[in-house]
Amino acid sequence: MKTRAEYDANLKQLVGFAVERVVYFELDYQNGSPCFRGYPETGHFLDFGVELIDAAGRTVCLTWDGTFFQYGLGVYVDIPSAEVLPGLAYDVTNDPEWTPFLRRKIVAVDSYWTGIFGSMAPDDTETSYPQDIRITFDNNRSLYLSAAQFLNDSGELFGMSDNVLIIFHDEVAQKHKLGPWAVG
């Protein structure tokens, strides 16, 4: 993918997909426990990303990558997760946060891009990258994914991160200004 149109076309392949299983991928910190549950009031923070699997075994991997800028969200449809997401795997299908989304069809997917200007942009030229994704299901619930992490202990999210945040509630996404509520 080299353009926003190609990215969004790839993302639109999720429409009609019904999530049957969910697997998270994280770095192996050698501490024996997953790190993604550190902020239950916000969502799940992942080092690499998430794999969604339907009843037929079709996969969608959502991870941070550097396709458009060094921190953005990547979407990989029908590519085995082992080729996309290294690290430890945790099946979180039975996590209560995922219950409202299981076996529900995806009816819409939207990407939200952030602009990079000046010295942060490659060659000092303006560029943009996919910072957030909203996935809406047939029960009118939405998931939000963002390449974000907390800025120190401030409680504020900072984009341009090598983490993937999954938010399960509209009000939390709105509070942190993700997706349709993003600033600028």
Side-chain angles (χ1 to χ4, degrees):
M1 290 178 293
K2 294 186 182 350
T3 68
R4 183 174 180 164
E6 290 173 329
Y7 180 91
D8 284 340
N10 189 46
L11 195 59
K12 296 297 182 200
Q13 291 183 67
L14 277 71
V15 173
F17 191 92
V19 178
E20 191 72 29
R21 285 187 48 228
V22 182
V23 178
Y24 287 171
F25 291 84
E26 294 189 325
L27 290 173
D28 187 355
Y29 289 110
Q30 306 292 318
N31 63 3
S33 64
C35 299
F36 61 85
R37 290 194 174 106
Y39 300 93
E41 69 285 349
T42 301
H44 294 169
F45 285 89
L46 313 172
D47 286 322
F48 281 122
V50 58
E51 179 178 45
L52 307 176
I53 305 161
D54 74 3
R58 185 172 171 226
T59 63
V60 175
C61 294
L62 301 154
T63 184
W64 68 271
D65 76 4
T67 299
F68 296 95
F69 181 65
Q70 90 186 65
Y71 303 113
L73 290 172
V75 180
Y76 300 89
V77 179
D78 295 327
I79 297 175
S81 61
E83 293 179 25
V84 179
L85 304 168
L88 298 175
Y90 298 99
D91 188 319
V92 295
T93 305
N94 295 321
D95 187 289
E97 292 284 19
W98 278 99
T99 301
F101 306 102
L102 295 175
R103 290 171 283 292
R104 306 304 306 219
K105 284 193 178 183
I106 295 172
V107 296
V109 185
D110 302 291
S111 65
Y112 300 91
W113 292 59
T114 297
I116 300 296
F117 309 94
S119 64
M120 290 203 60
D123 303 322
D124 282 336
T125 58
E126 179 181 340
T127 190
S128 61
Y129 69 96
Q131 174 65 48
D132 303 325
I133 295 172
R134 175 176 60 186
I135 302 173
T136 305
F137 291 80
D138 63 2
N139 60 354
N140 293 320
R141 294 281 309 264
S142 293
L143 286 174
Y144 299 86
L145 290 89
S146 183
Q149 64 185 7
F150 280 121
L151 183 60
N152 303 322
D153 291 325
S154 69
E156 288 185 51
L157 288 177
F158 178 73
M160 297 186 347
S161 171
D162 60 0
N163 290 288
V164 174
L165 167 61
I166 301 174
I167 291 180
F168 301 94
H169 305 280
D170 290 339
E171 59 276 5
V172 177
Q174 186 173 11
K175 172 186 172 188
H176 290 293
K177 297 177 179 61
L178 297 182
W181 300 284
V183 177

